[in-house]
Amino acid sequence: MVREDQLERILLRHEALEAELAGGQLASGDFAKTSRELAELEPVVASIRGLRAKRRELADLDAMIADPAADAEMRELAEAERRDLGEALPGLERAVAVALLPKDAADERSAILEIRAGTGGEEAALFARDLFGMYTRYAGLHGWRVEMMSESEAEHGGYKEVIASITGAGVFARLKFESGVHRVQRVPATEAGGRIHTSAATVAVLPEAEEVDIAIDEKDLRIDVFRSSGPGGQSVNTTDSAVRITHLPTGLVVQQQDEKSQHKNKAKAMKVLRARLYELEREKADAERAADRKGQVGSGDRSERIRTYNFPQGRVTDHRINLTLYKIDKVISGEALDEIIEPLIAADEAARLADLDGQA
């Protein structure tokens, strides 16, 4: 699965980086860059060394088993150990292969979460609120911070649209497969006849972008300010604090009105705009590599139906990996969401490993 010369190059690179840092001759910028690369290599090197130690152990056991002078009891013990080690070795080899997979540069970033009600009217808006609650609670379980960016409430307390920033280490890596259409099947609270309705909400998870990632030229922006309004059109405050930013080259429009300060609304709008432009760049790069990504778990296409939440049956089904859990309450509470996210990550790793094997 992994070539020995590739493993050797990684170990040599790790040694070279350690020597550079120990030499104390690096400029501050180079020191930070070298330290970062070394930190990224540490878990890979630990996996390689662990694999090689087990392979040496296997060779020693083979030698003991093949030794005609070996005690029969010792040979029997060695054979049992060899069987156990032989069963464990493929898992260690896969762990090294996974560690060597190309990393998504955005994986360690924080993320912008956008949820919009789809088909289903008020019930879709209520489902959008439920999904936002699920991700908020999930973030809390992982020690991440959730900051509301903007919200557009529906008549019965749901969300037509809600946008939030989720800050923490590795947020995007865990949430990126949540992008797509989420479908719910349940009896709405407003339904007197007890009929099951099907509604949907769209989730988009965007890696948070820094200014260095996306250069935005002021002349490419049209910025409009206006008086913010709440549900039903009533005025929220009496100043022109709401901000609408249009990015002229792409036609992207971002609007913020939750803050009373025009400056704060503009800063939030720019944060969302930067994330959306960064995602456009990522989508463009992905499209160029599309031929190599046939086995991917999900394209991130927001029109793709990815999951169904069936309340009468108490089940959640992820259609991309044909996974069904009969614990809908724990999924919606965020408590069991990892039981879907972990298999999605594993399936993505398996697909990328298969791609690499196919190219070898």
Side-chain angles (χ1 to χ4, degrees), residues 8-22 38 41 45 49:
E8 197 59 41
R9 281 199 303 274
I10 292 166
L11 294 174
L12 289 172
R13 178 59 181 163
H14 183 261
E15 287 177 17
L17 291 169
E18 285 186 321
E20 284 181 31
L21 286 175
L38 184 65
L41 279 182
V45 168
R49 287 174 175 165

Side-chain angles (χ1 to χ4, degrees), residues 177 293 295-299 304 318 320-321 343-349 351:
F177 297 120
R293 300 171 71 245
Q296 66 190 358
V297 167
S299 63
E304 178 189 8
D318 195 287
R320 294 163 294 181
I321 53 175
L344 284 166
I345 292 171
D348 177 63
E349 288 172 351

